[in-house]
Amino acid sequence: MLPFEEQVVADLLEDPNGGLVVVSCGLPVASLASAVLLQLFHQSPDDGCFLILSAPEPVKAQIRRRLLLNSQSQPPLLQLQVHDVAPDLPAHHRVALYASRAALFLSPRALVADFLTSRLLPSRVRALLLLSAHRSSDTSSDAFVARLLRHHHLLPVYAFSDRPHAMVSGFAKAERAMKSLYIRRLHLWPRFHLLAAADLERSPPEVIDVRVPMTQPMRGIQAAILDAMDACLKELRRTNKVDVEDLTVDKGLFKSFDEIVRRQLDPIWHTLGKKTKQLVADLRTLRKLLDYLVRYDAVTYLKYLDTLRVSEGVRSVWIFADSSHKIFDLSKRRVYQVVRADGTKVAADNKGTPTKKRKVARASSRKGKETENEGSSDNKDNTQKVNAEMGIVVEEILEEAPKWKVLRELLQEIAEEQAKGDGDNVNPVHEDGINESGIVLVACKDERSCVQLQECISKGSHQVMRAEWEKYLLGKAELHGLHRKNKKTSQQLKGFGVLDGEVPMRSGESAGPVSISKVEANALLAAASEISTVTKEANLADDSNVSCKKRSFGKGKGKGKFKKTMAKREASKLRNRNTTEHTDLEVEGQSGKTDEQAETDACKLSAEDDSASAPAVDKAANNLSAFGDSVDTEPLPPVQFYALDSDQHVLDVWKPSVIIVYHPDITFVREIEVYKAENPSMKLKVYFLFYEDSAEVQKFESSIRRENEAFESLIRQKSLMMIPVDQNGRCIGPTLANEPEALLSQNSLTRKAGGRKPLEKEMQVIVDMREFMSSLPNVLHQKGIRIIPVTLEVGDYVLSPLICVERKSIADLFQSFASGRLYNQIETMVRYYKIPVLLIEFSQDKSFSFQSASEIGDDVSPTNIISKLSLLVLHFPRLRIVWSRSLHATADIFLSLKTNQDEPDESKAMRVGVPSEDGVVENDVRAENYNTSAIEFLRRLPGVTDSNYRRIMEECNSLAELALLPVERLSELMGTQKGARMLKEFLDAKCPTML
Amino acid sequence: MDGQWEEPQHAGRRRRQPEPGKNLIKIPSYQEVFGSGASSSAAPPSYNPPPTTAASSSSSSSSFSQAFSFLKSTEFYSPPPPPPQTTTPRPPQASSAAQAPKNAILVSHRQKGNPLLKHIRNARWTYADIVPDYVLGQSSCALYISLRYHLLHPDYLYYRIRELQKNFKLRVILCHIDVEDVVKPLHEVTRTSLLHDCTLLCGWSLEECGRYLETIKVYENKSADSIREHMDNDYLSRLTHALTSIRHVNKTDVVTLGSSFGSLSQVMNASMEELARCPGIGERKVKRLHDTFHEPFKRVSSRPNIVVPDTPDREKASGQPSSTNDGAQDAVEKPDASVNKKSSNVRSALTEAFAKYSEKIRNQNRDSTNVAGEGTSKSTMGDEKDQ
């Protein structure tokens, strides 16, 4: 614990009512929460349990580890235990955990249900902790839990947030969050706070800033993407519907920019044209392209662009602009170039840029020269063979990411420094660290970058690029073969005409699969095409003849076995040359095997892959160092790769002595600072790798500036904030809610004149358990309605013995119409209730409209929402439709519907609860219905209907098991042979989705 | 009422010229029935102030309904005289109505001048003497109201619904939302229509309102197959439809996953590392995809136990609300006793299921920990073992 953290905890615990703490992202929320829990526990160890809501998984793990470390130094009676209460735990297990004096991680949905059914009494709770307070609002589940607790019993609520910019989004967000959680104190701890800055800067780590220049094509791509974004923003500005201040390219680099634009456009979304909506989507796509440019290698980036063109090419606005032509062209230039056999360039590519690019490529690395040498040798060979052909050859460039080279140089430099350090007897300084020279931690954005960098270090960057290129080529060839079979080549060719540079390339590539099939079939006499020949020639230089045989074997047998051959070929690279003969024997043996034996081999290969991936998963330093030594024979330090997206907080576990921040991130920078401040005696060196003059640098600096602006705004808000005296919840609800009920009961007593007593004194609504995922039960509870949570088979809300309500949000309504689920739900409601109600609930912030005027069209279309609603109304004349503007409007409608009901209806509502008592028993079973995402996915598969999906769920444990079942088994489960065959064909059909 | 329709609109001034003609035509019919009724109906057009307009509207509607009821009784008792009266003023419309009454929307005369009629294009319509505003089929009708008009005349909708009595099976309130602050008036319209057995349909433009009317007419005898479950034959559409049910997965991700793995079954059986290698698929999407495909449905052992105790009587328990309404107290007591007995059986079965479930949950937690295979989870396992 740092001194400023102790100060935060002391300030927070001053007010017995609790408080809201906002810290910079990266500062340790987990240690603050742990300290709060421990101090509260030691103050009064005989009180109730501690409830912790909305904790992300990494924070949960950190809290558990800190409490465990603390409990080891305490006697057993004073140990604070930690339990993770999953929502699918049975009810009696949860009740037992509530009775203990432990810290409980919970989901608010299960907690609300337990409160409303009195499984957990508020008096048994010591404190409530919220670890993502920036997501709280008056309609969120966290606020619902806080109100239920405050309703009967005053206890502290401690809220934490490390998202200051989320706290300033919207109007008075921090103030509204405090109000919804009944908190009166706001504590702000930015990075530039005097206490925090003093602690973190007392012994800072050694920081080295490495600026890596981008290559010419990368710079061109970045400029083109920024031009496209600027054009989109200008187009948006022209619509006169968005606030102009926020529309700059600098702010467009962040994810929150999409939210800002979307929030401004949501109220008028239905009046926008298709072009404006597409512009908003295009801005997001362009931001992703800009981010992936510095994260992915050249081949993967080109593959992603191809994917984008397939999926968005028809609708996008930017993809037809001039700058997009630059993006696609330069991305292709980074990978390959189309030239003639005699060495001159194709006429379409005859520009000045390629010449400059080739010069830059030559200067960039020696391996580039080797590639060109191979290219020239290929040209010489092809001169003799391809005289009759078009004369077009693909020259591979395979530009490597500049950071790869810099990373390797840094690792060598670090190894030299560590060798010198060992020679100088610096070991006593590392007593706190590992006995070996320290671990080098490389922080990347995602797991994919980690794996690729690891391969670069172990195998060499050129090998990695070549492997990606071969995958790309083979994927394209296979897809072209599929297109040939489906006779879609003409359509594809029309699509290719959009970009000029594509036309000769496509004509060259279209011959590829034909020649491959010819070589395989040995039927025709023509020579192989340029691509296939170039690929084989290049492989001849790198691999032995066995590789060619393996490839032909893989091609002949199918794609699955092709993967097997690829795995074998990769394995053969790691072995010595002496095993070539052994591989020959294996290949010859495989050719004679049957399909079943081949499948057995595939299983074995998959097992081998699992065993091969196990060391990678373990990330053992010794294995990596041994691996590196065996391959490259260069001494490199042990390297750990860490994905920032995984958010695991690994610094305390691995204790590295050198950190290379490959993708800079402000949160990780703060974590490094805290780690160094907590371990001042440890020696730490940090390298930052930046691309010079890139969006990466701009984004990193802007994120720091944005956080500081957020804190300044929060500080200004805090000075102006007016908090009511009763915001701690002493005066809420019961009084206001009880008065009208008392009047009603008096009137009913007077009316009955001493007759039957009313069974209820307050309004109540029976709510389905699944409805607690939405905010409507929360709002109903705010209005003073008593919520009875049960599991309902029919409908979502029961307002009276006659009225049942099925609630649909707009997206849910469209999906239910599309899947046909809504018809079944309405059918059962009409059967059992006299007044079935369909509640179409619009969101408060979005437009109150179904569709824009341009979507109506001139004819009656069966797929339009108006047609579907009309059909539903025609087939169920008794169905009532309620159109609600917001959650509060829904609650008002419910209240008015209930006040107009007769008194006997209220008594009959208890009889509706009679099957609900069984529903309460069923409640636990429904709560265990955990994987709703898988169930929804299952119901969307073809052949799966409402009648058979339950049986499929019973027999198959998961979707992965379902995919492996044979057709006979599926037909038994689904009841029809046709449906089973349909489903099996859908699962096993190939996806002809790439170009 | 036609005069009142024209007042909120700008075209009211132009419509004033036909008013005397209409009134002159109607006055003889009133004179034939009542002499004094004609003089009272002549009063409304001349008065402009709203309070007198409201009063005159109620009196006009009452007198009009009385006249209409007398006309009905007249038609009922003597069929020959009414056809000549209707055919005399508008021969072409009468002939078209007589030829094909079922294929056209019948529009009330009070809807004259409503710009909504311009947007009824996909179905034929004709004027007729009807109580509702539109008759869309043998058993379906519609009343039209806009929120702006409702704010001016809050009781209009109530009286119009009351005039319908119980004549139609499907009664639609077609509400045109033409004001900004919709919460309060829409709340009132919703409550009125719901308490009086009408179905409320909202349209945000006159095109939408017209589309509702013509769609209900065109789809009068159409089956409900289009809103039941249907399948497209396009493979990519079905794949996108299935995969986008997982949160955060968009169309580009569907194309990426398809091209990387080749088939849906291979996507389902892919590991987290394989999913993470696809471009554009981040950590959150990888976790959601993997959890959807590999997490069990978690209904395996409890569902047979629930199904086994079920009896035909148990199935009727779901229909208890309706049976409770109809049954007597003695009948109610007996189902309560039987429900109590069955609930005890169900509870004993469920306790056994929970014991099995707790074991499976622990195993699944361990399996999920092994599947994750991360360093932090290993330390977590260590913590759990120490505890």
Side-chain angles (χ1 to χ4, degrees), chain A residues 287-318:
Chain A
R287 181 175 50 77
K288 278 187 183 179
L289 279 180
L290 201 57
D291 195 27
Y292 294 159
L293 177 65
V294 297
R295 278 168 53 182
Y296 290 160
D297 60 282
V299 181
T300 308
Y301 193 71
L302 182 60
K303 197 186 296 181
Y304 185 71
L305 283 174
D306 289 342
T307 309
L308 273 185
R309 186 161 47 198
V310 170
S311 63
E312 297 194 13
V314 181
R315 300 188 310 271
S316 286
V317 178
W318 68 274

mmCIF file of all heavy atoms in Angstrom, chain A residues 287-318:
data_model
loop_
_atom_site.group_PDB
_atom_site.id
_atom_site.type_symbol
_atom_site.label_atom_id
_atom_site.label_comp_id
_atom_site.label_asym_id
_atom_site.label_seq_id
_atom_site.Cartn_x
_atom_site.Cartn_y
_atom_site.Cartn_z
ATOM 1 N N ARG A 287 -11.465 4.007 -38.155
ATOM 2 C CA ARG A 287 -10.678 4.046 -36.929
ATOM 3 C C ARG A 287 -10.032 2.696 -36.666
ATOM 4 O O ARG A 287 -8.880 2.614 -36.232
ATOM 5 C CB ARG A 287 -11.580 4.459 -35.766
ATOM 6 C CG ARG A 287 -10.876 4.555 -34.451
ATOM 7 C CD ARG A 287 -11.795 5.068 -33.386
ATOM 8 N NE ARG A 287 -13.052 4.353 -33.355
ATOM 9 C CZ ARG A 287 -13.199 3.157 -32.828
ATOM 10 N NH1 ARG A 287 -12.180 2.538 -32.302
ATOM 11 N NH2 ARG A 287 -14.375 2.572 -32.836
ATOM 12 N N LYS A 288 -10.776 1.628 -36.933
ATOM 13 C CA LYS A 288 -10.194 0.292 -36.762
ATOM 14 C C LYS A 288 -9.034 0.073 -37.715
ATOM 15 O O LYS A 288 -8.008 -0.500 -37.345
ATOM 16 C CB LYS A 288 -11.265 -0.768 -37.023
ATOM 17 C CG LYS A 288 -12.160 -1.050 -35.858
ATOM 18 C CD LYS A 288 -13.031 -2.227 -36.207
ATOM 19 C CE LYS A 288 -14.024 -2.536 -35.121
ATOM 20 N NZ LYS A 288 -14.892 -3.662 -35.485
ATOM 21 N N LEU A 289 -9.192 0.521 -38.969
ATOM 22 C CA LEU A 289 -8.105 0.351 -39.934
ATOM 23 C C LEU A 289 -6.855 1.063 -39.464
ATOM 24 O O LEU A 289 -5.742 0.544 -39.586
ATOM 25 C CB LEU A 289 -8.532 0.911 -41.288
ATOM 26 C CG LEU A 289 -9.398 0.017 -42.157
ATOM 27 C CD1 LEU A 289 -9.711 0.729 -43.447
ATOM 28 C CD2 LEU A 289 -8.708 -1.288 -42.440
ATOM 29 N N LEU A 290 -7.031 2.258 -38.911
ATOM 30 C CA LEU A 290 -5.884 3.011 -38.427
ATOM 31 C C LEU A 290 -5.209 2.300 -37.264
ATOM 32 O O LEU A 290 -3.981 2.307 -37.138
ATOM 33 C CB LEU A 290 -6.362 4.394 -37.994
ATOM 34 C CG LEU A 290 -5.353 5.513 -37.912
ATOM 35 C CD1 LEU A 290 -4.661 5.694 -39.238
ATOM 36 C CD2 LEU A 290 -6.064 6.782 -37.526
ATOM 37 N N ASP A 291 -6.001 1.659 -36.425
ATOM 38 C CA ASP A 291 -5.437 0.947 -35.284
ATOM 39 C C ASP A 291 -4.733 -0.321 -35.728
ATOM 40 O O ASP A 291 -3.662 -0.660 -35.228
ATOM 41 C CB ASP A 291 -6.569 0.623 -34.308
ATOM 42 C CG ASP A 291 -6.039 0.218 -32.953
ATOM 43 O OD1 ASP A 291 -4.932 0.645 -32.596
ATOM 44 O OD2 ASP A 291 -6.724 -0.536 -32.260
ATOM 45 N N TYR A 292 -5.333 -1.031 -36.678
ATOM 46 C CA TYR A 292 -4.739 -2.297 -37.100
ATOM 47 C C TYR A 292 -3.475 -2.093 -37.916
ATOM 48 O O TYR A 292 -2.664 -3.016 -38.042
ATOM 49 C CB TYR A 292 -5.745 -3.099 -37.920
ATOM 50 C CG TYR A 292 -6.937 -3.565 -37.142
ATOM 51 C CD1 TYR A 292 -8.112 -3.912 -37.792
ATOM 52 C CD2 TYR A 292 -6.908 -3.657 -35.768
ATOM 53 C CE1 TYR A 292 -9.210 -4.338 -37.088
ATOM 54 C CE2 TYR A 292 -8.000 -4.077 -35.053
ATOM 55 C CZ TYR A 292 -9.147 -4.418 -35.723
ATOM 56 O OH TYR A 292 -10.239 -4.835 -35.024
ATOM 57 N N LEU A 293 -3.302 -0.902 -38.483
ATOM 58 C CA LEU A 293 -2.120 -0.661 -39.307
ATOM 59 C C LEU A 293 -0.852 -0.843 -38.499
ATOM 60 O O LEU A 293 0.139 -1.373 -39.006
ATOM 61 C CB LEU A 293 -2.189 0.752 -39.883
ATOM 62 C CG LEU A 293 -1.008 1.216 -40.714
ATOM 63 C CD1 LEU A 293 -0.881 0.391 -41.970
ATOM 64 C CD2 LEU A 293 -1.140 2.682 -41.049
ATOM 65 N N VAL A 294 -0.858 -0.423 -37.249
ATOM 66 C CA VAL A 294 0.342 -0.532 -36.429
ATOM 67 C C VAL A 294 0.367 -1.805 -35.617
ATOM 68 O O VAL A 294 1.349 -2.098 -34.959
ATOM 69 C CB VAL A 294 0.471 0.684 -35.485
ATOM 70 C CG1 VAL A 294 0.632 1.949 -36.288
ATOM 71 C CG2 VAL A 294 -0.732 0.780 -34.581
ATOM 72 N N ARG A 295 -0.704 -2.586 -35.639
ATOM 73 C CA ARG A 295 -0.741 -3.804 -34.830
ATOM 74 C C ARG A 295 -0.533 -5.056 -35.662
ATOM 75 O O ARG A 295 0.071 -6.009 -35.191
ATOM 76 C CB ARG A 295 -2.080 -3.901 -34.107
ATOM 77 C CG ARG A 295 -2.117 -3.081 -32.854
ATOM 78 C CD ARG A 295 -3.487 -2.949 -32.307
ATOM 79 N NE ARG A 295 -4.149 -4.228 -32.119
ATOM 80 C CZ ARG A 295 -5.394 -4.317 -31.668
ATOM 81 N NH1 ARG A 295 -6.060 -3.234 -31.364
ATOM 82 N NH2 ARG A 295 -5.952 -5.487 -31.530
ATOM 83 N N TYR A 296 -1.044 -5.084 -36.879
ATOM 84 C CA TYR A 296 -0.974 -6.299 -37.690
ATOM 85 C C TYR A 296 0.188 -6.211 -38.662
ATOM 86 O O TYR A 296 0.637 -5.124 -39.022
ATOM 87 C CB TYR A 296 -2.271 -6.488 -38.467
ATOM 88 C CG TYR A 296 -3.451 -6.848 -37.612
ATOM 89 C CD1 TYR A 296 -4.739 -6.661 -38.079
ATOM 90 C CD2 TYR A 296 -3.293 -7.376 -36.348
ATOM 91 C CE1 TYR A 296 -5.820 -6.996 -37.316
ATOM 92 C CE2 TYR A 296 -4.372 -7.704 -35.574
ATOM 93 C CZ TYR A 296 -5.640 -7.516 -36.066
ATOM 94 O OH TYR A 296 -6.712 -7.840 -35.313
ATOM 95 N N ASP A 297 0.630 -7.382 -39.125
ATOM 96 C CA ASP A 297 1.646 -7.395 -40.165
ATOM 97 C C ASP A 297 0.993 -7.122 -41.509
ATOM 98 O O ASP A 297 -0.223 -7.061 -41.638
ATOM 99 C CB ASP A 297 2.371 -8.733 -40.181
ATOM 100 C CG ASP A 297 1.414 -9.873 -40.454
ATOM 101 O OD1 ASP A 297 0.696 -10.271 -39.521
ATOM 102 O OD2 ASP A 297 1.374 -10.348 -41.598
ATOM 103 N N ALA A 298 1.815 -6.989 -42.536
ATOM 104 C CA ALA A 298 1.313 -6.518 -43.822
ATOM 105 C C ALA A 298 0.337 -7.500 -44.437
ATOM 106 O O ALA A 298 -0.684 -7.108 -45.004
ATOM 107 C CB ALA A 298 2.487 -6.271 -44.769
ATOM 108 N N VAL A 299 0.612 -8.804 -44.345
ATOM 109 C CA VAL A 299 -0.258 -9.783 -44.989
ATOM 110 C C VAL A 299 -1.597 -9.855 -44.270
ATOM 111 O O VAL A 299 -2.658 -9.911 -44.899
ATOM 112 C CB VAL A 299 0.433 -11.155 -45.013
ATOM 113 C CG1 VAL A 299 -0.432 -12.172 -45.702
ATOM 114 C CG2 VAL A 299 1.775 -11.054 -45.704
ATOM 115 N N THR A 300 -1.563 -9.845 -42.952
ATOM 116 C CA THR A 300 -2.820 -9.902 -42.205
ATOM 117 C C THR A 300 -3.647 -8.663 -42.446
ATOM 118 O O THR A 300 -4.877 -8.720 -42.554
ATOM 119 C CB THR A 300 -2.516 -10.048 -40.716
ATOM 120 O OG1 THR A 300 -1.618 -11.135 -40.541
ATOM 121 C CG2 THR A 300 -3.769 -10.311 -39.936
ATOM 122 N N TYR A 301 -2.984 -7.522 -42.567
ATOM 123 C CA TYR A 301 -3.712 -6.281 -42.842
ATOM 124 C C TYR A 301 -4.393 -6.355 -44.200
ATOM 125 O O TYR A 301 -5.555 -5.963 -44.359
ATOM 126 C CB TYR A 301 -2.726 -5.116 -42.795
ATOM 127 C CG TYR A 301 -3.367 -3.766 -42.752
ATOM 128 C CD1 TYR A 301 -4.027 -3.326 -41.616
ATOM 129 C CD2 TYR A 301 -3.303 -2.917 -43.848
ATOM 130 C CE1 TYR A 301 -4.610 -2.078 -41.575
ATOM 131 C CE2 TYR A 301 -3.878 -1.669 -43.809
ATOM 132 C CZ TYR A 301 -4.530 -1.254 -42.671
ATOM 133 O OH TYR A 301 -5.104 -0.019 -42.639
ATOM 134 N N LEU A 302 -3.676 -6.886 -45.188
ATOM 135 C CA LEU A 302 -4.267 -7.030 -46.523
ATOM 136 C C LEU A 302 -5.438 -7.995 -46.493
ATOM 137 O O LEU A 302 -6.468 -7.779 -47.144
ATOM 138 C CB LEU A 302 -3.198 -7.517 -47.495
ATOM 139 C CG LEU A 302 -3.631 -7.683 -48.947
ATOM 140 C CD1 LEU A 302 -4.114 -6.368 -49.507
ATOM 141 C CD2 LEU A 302 -2.486 -8.215 -49.775
ATOM 142 N N LYS A 303 -5.303 -9.049 -45.709
ATOM 143 C CA LYS A 303 -6.404 -10.001 -45.577
ATOM 144 C C LYS A 303 -7.623 -9.341 -44.951
ATOM 145 O O LYS A 303 -8.770 -9.569 -45.368
ATOM 146 C CB LYS A 303 -5.935 -11.172 -44.718
ATOM 147 C CG LYS A 303 -6.786 -12.402 -44.799
ATOM 148 C CD LYS A 303 -6.321 -13.444 -43.816
ATOM 149 C CE LYS A 303 -4.941 -13.944 -44.127
ATOM 150 N NZ LYS A 303 -4.491 -14.989 -43.177
ATOM 151 N N TYR A 304 -7.387 -8.498 -43.953
ATOM 152 C CA TYR A 304 -8.508 -7.805 -43.316
ATOM 153 C C TYR A 304 -9.184 -6.858 -44.294
ATOM 154 O O TYR A 304 -10.414 -6.721 -44.308
ATOM 155 C CB TYR A 304 -8.011 -7.052 -42.085
ATOM 156 C CG TYR A 304 -9.109 -6.397 -41.298
ATOM 157 C CD1 TYR A 304 -10.001 -7.150 -40.565
ATOM 158 C CD2 TYR A 304 -9.251 -5.023 -41.297
ATOM 159 C CE1 TYR A 304 -11.018 -6.558 -39.848
ATOM 160 C CE2 TYR A 304 -10.261 -4.423 -40.583
ATOM 161 C CZ TYR A 304 -11.135 -5.191 -39.861
ATOM 162 O OH TYR A 304 -12.138 -4.590 -39.158
ATOM 163 N N LEU A 305 -8.375 -6.194 -45.127
ATOM 164 C CA LEU A 305 -8.971 -5.300 -46.117
ATOM 165 C C LEU A 305 -9.825 -6.076 -47.107
ATOM 166 O O LEU A 305 -10.897 -5.622 -47.511
ATOM 167 C CB LEU A 305 -7.870 -4.537 -46.856
ATOM 168 C CG LEU A 305 -7.241 -3.383 -46.095
ATOM 169 C CD1 LEU A 305 -6.073 -2.822 -46.875
ATOM 170 C CD2 LEU A 305 -8.252 -2.290 -45.844
ATOM 171 N N ASP A 306 -9.351 -7.259 -47.513
ATOM 172 C CA ASP A 306 -10.177 -8.082 -48.397
ATOM 173 C C ASP A 306 -11.489 -8.443 -47.725
ATOM 174 O O ASP A 306 -12.558 -8.421 -48.346
ATOM 175 C CB ASP A 306 -9.424 -9.365 -48.768
ATOM 176 C CG ASP A 306 -8.274 -9.090 -49.709
ATOM 177 O OD1 ASP A 306 -8.264 -8.009 -50.322
ATOM 178 O OD2 ASP A 306 -7.390 -9.948 -49.832
ATOM 179 N N THR A 307 -11.406 -8.778 -46.431
ATOM 180 C CA THR A 307 -12.634 -9.113 -45.714
ATOM 181 C C THR A 307 -13.581 -7.932 -45.669
ATOM 182 O O THR A 307 -14.793 -8.077 -45.838
ATOM 183 C CB THR A 307 -12.274 -9.551 -44.289
ATOM 184 O OG1 THR A 307 -11.269 -10.553 -44.359
ATOM 185 C CG2 THR A 307 -13.467 -10.097 -43.570
ATOM 186 N N LEU A 308 -13.015 -6.739 -45.450
ATOM 187 C CA LEU A 308 -13.859 -5.543 -45.411
ATOM 188 C C LEU A 308 -14.550 -5.327 -46.741
ATOM 189 O O LEU A 308 -15.726 -4.978 -46.799
ATOM 190 C CB LEU A 308 -13.005 -4.317 -45.090
ATOM 191 C CG LEU A 308 -12.766 -3.969 -43.640
ATOM 192 C CD1 LEU A 308 -12.010 -2.663 -43.582
ATOM 193 C CD2 LEU A 308 -14.062 -3.836 -42.888
ATOM 194 N N ARG A 309 -13.815 -5.540 -47.826
ATOM 195 C CA ARG A 309 -14.410 -5.277 -49.128
ATOM 196 C C ARG A 309 -15.551 -6.242 -49.399
ATOM 197 O O ARG A 309 -16.547 -5.880 -50.006
ATOM 198 C CB ARG A 309 -13.338 -5.395 -50.202
ATOM 199 C CG ARG A 309 -13.827 -5.008 -51.561
ATOM 200 C CD ARG A 309 -12.682 -4.705 -52.470
ATOM 201 N NE ARG A 309 -11.655 -5.738 -52.370
ATOM 202 C CZ ARG A 309 -10.406 -5.544 -52.780
ATOM 203 N NH1 ARG A 309 -10.055 -4.392 -53.281
ATOM 204 N NH2 ARG A 309 -9.520 -6.500 -52.678
ATOM 205 N N VAL A 310 -15.414 -7.474 -48.930
ATOM 206 C CA VAL A 310 -16.488 -8.435 -49.154
ATOM 207 C C VAL A 310 -17.721 -8.050 -48.349
ATOM 208 O O VAL A 310 -18.843 -8.063 -48.854
ATOM 209 C CB VAL A 310 -16.009 -9.847 -48.763
ATOM 210 C CG1 VAL A 310 -17.171 -10.811 -48.746
ATOM 211 C CG2 VAL A 310 -14.948 -10.311 -49.724
ATOM 212 N N SER A 311 -17.521 -7.681 -47.087
ATOM 213 C CA SER A 311 -18.678 -7.510 -46.211
ATOM 214 C C SER A 311 -19.286 -6.126 -46.318
ATOM 215 O O SER A 311 -20.476 -5.966 -46.113
ATOM 216 C CB SER A 311 -18.268 -7.768 -44.766
ATOM 217 O OG SER A 311 -17.307 -6.826 -44.356
ATOM 218 N N GLU A 312 -18.505 -5.109 -46.620
ATOM 219 C CA GLU A 312 -19.038 -3.744 -46.609
ATOM 220 C C GLU A 312 -18.965 -3.062 -47.956
ATOM 221 O O GLU A 312 -19.323 -1.898 -48.057
ATOM 222 C CB GLU A 312 -18.267 -2.892 -45.605
ATOM 223 C CG GLU A 312 -18.406 -3.374 -44.188
ATOM 224 C CD GLU A 312 -17.919 -2.336 -43.212
ATOM 225 O OE1 GLU A 312 -17.709 -1.186 -43.635
ATOM 226 O OE2 GLU A 312 -17.753 -2.663 -42.040
ATOM 227 N N GLY A 313 -18.481 -3.752 -48.982
ATOM 228 C CA GLY A 313 -18.203 -3.059 -50.225
ATOM 229 C C GLY A 313 -19.406 -2.416 -50.864
ATOM 230 O O GLY A 313 -19.292 -1.388 -51.520
ATOM 231 N N VAL A 314 -20.578 -3.001 -50.667
ATOM 232 C CA VAL A 314 -21.754 -2.480 -51.357
ATOM 233 C C VAL A 314 -22.257 -1.211 -50.688
ATOM 234 O O VAL A 314 -22.731 -0.297 -51.348
ATOM 235 C CB VAL A 314 -22.853 -3.557 -51.367
ATOM 236 C CG1 VAL A 314 -24.080 -3.065 -52.088
ATOM 237 C CG2 VAL A 314 -22.321 -4.812 -52.024
ATOM 238 N N ARG A 315 -22.149 -1.147 -49.366
ATOM 239 C CA ARG A 315 -22.816 -0.063 -48.651
ATOM 240 C C ARG A 315 -21.890 1.088 -48.314
ATOM 241 O O ARG A 315 -22.348 2.215 -48.156
ATOM 242 C CB ARG A 315 -23.384 -0.596 -47.334
ATOM 243 C CG ARG A 315 -24.376 -1.694 -47.484
ATOM 244 C CD ARG A 315 -25.003 -1.985 -46.146
ATOM 245 N NE ARG A 315 -23.988 -2.162 -45.113
ATOM 246 C CZ ARG A 315 -23.443 -3.336 -44.828
ATOM 247 N NH1 ARG A 315 -23.811 -4.399 -45.493
ATOM 248 N NH2 ARG A 315 -22.535 -3.446 -43.888
ATOM 249 N N SER A 316 -20.598 0.824 -48.161
ATOM 250 C CA SER A 316 -19.709 1.849 -47.620
ATOM 251 C C SER A 316 -19.607 3.029 -48.558
ATOM 252 O O SER A 316 -19.705 2.909 -49.777
ATOM 253 C CB SER A 316 -18.320 1.268 -47.387
ATOM 254 O OG SER A 316 -18.321 0.442 -46.280
ATOM 255 N N VAL A 317 -19.398 4.192 -47.959
ATOM 256 C CA VAL A 317 -19.186 5.397 -48.739
ATOM 257 C C VAL A 317 -17.703 5.587 -49.025
ATOM 258 O O VAL A 317 -17.307 5.974 -50.119
ATOM 259 C CB VAL A 317 -19.746 6.614 -47.967
ATOM 260 C CG1 VAL A 317 -19.509 7.889 -48.726
ATOM 261 C CG2 VAL A 317 -21.220 6.408 -47.703
ATOM 262 N N TRP A 318 -16.872 5.290 -48.026
ATOM 263 C CA TRP A 318 -15.447 5.584 -48.158
ATOM 264 C C TRP A 318 -14.758 4.644 -49.129
ATOM 265 O O TRP A 318 -13.715 4.983 -49.674
ATOM 266 C CB TRP A 318 -14.762 5.486 -46.794
ATOM 267 C CG TRP A 318 -14.715 4.103 -46.250
ATOM 268 C CD1 TRP A 318 -15.672 3.476 -45.531
ATOM 269 C CD2 TRP A 318 -13.642 3.174 -46.391
ATOM 270 N NE1 TRP A 318 -15.267 2.219 -45.205
ATOM 271 C CE2 TRP A 318 -14.028 1.996 -45.715
ATOM 272 C CE3 TRP A 318 -12.406 3.201 -47.010
ATOM 273 C CZ2 TRP A 318 -13.210 0.871 -45.662
ATOM 274 C CZ3 TRP A 318 -11.594 2.082 -46.953
ATOM 275 C CH2 TRP A 318 -11.997 0.939 -46.281
#
